[in-house]
Amino acid sequence: MSKNDIKKLIFGSVRLNERNPRKITPEAFRHLTRSILELPKMLELRPIVIDKDTRVIFGGNMRYRALMEIAKLDGKQLY
């Protein structure tokens, strides 16, 4: 993936992949959320990957969910 392939999208225009097989424990989810807050640059290194046509997430469902949680904590609406 090149930098030309990376685009910023409106948060609410992206959809979770309901077929995502990955599960995360509450403890691991809290750790992921903390990691994003402490090192937001991580999102640039491991961006959320979506299908450009359907806007369904291919990779990064948990990161997306963590960002939604951060938005709630911050009182911001990202969608």
Side-chain angles (χ1 to χ4, degrees), residues 3-63:
K3 287 195 177 209
N4 293 336
D5 294 331
I6 297 174
K7 300 196 180 358
K8 292 184 181 182
L9 299 172
I10 297 171
F11 212 66
S13 70
V14 175
R15 296 185 344 205
L16 286 169
N17 184 345
E18 297 301 326
R19 294 181 179 187
N20 179 28
R22 181 164 181 232
K23 304 295 181 215
I24 191 168
T25 65
E27 182 180 339
F29 184 76
R30 284 190 301 276
H31 179 74
L32 174 62
T33 304
R34 260 192 322 270
S35 294
I36 291 172
L37 286 168
E38 292 172 2
L39 187 62
K41 186 103 173 143
M42 178 187 83
L43 295 172
E44 291 177 31
L45 300 173
R46 295 208 49 208
I48 296 170
V49 180
I50 65 161
D51 178 279
K52 68 178 182 176
D53 297 321
T54 64
R55 296 205 174 173
V56 172
I57 296 172
F58 281 150
N61 273 295
M62 298 307 151
R63 280 174 274 149

Side-chain angles (χ1 to χ4, degrees), residues 10-12 67-68 70-79:
I10 297 171
F11 212 66
L67 287 168
M68 295 295 286
I70 290 167
K72 284 186 219 172
L73 295 172
D74 197 29
K76 294 180 182 172
Q77 190 165 348
L78 298 178
Y79 49 91

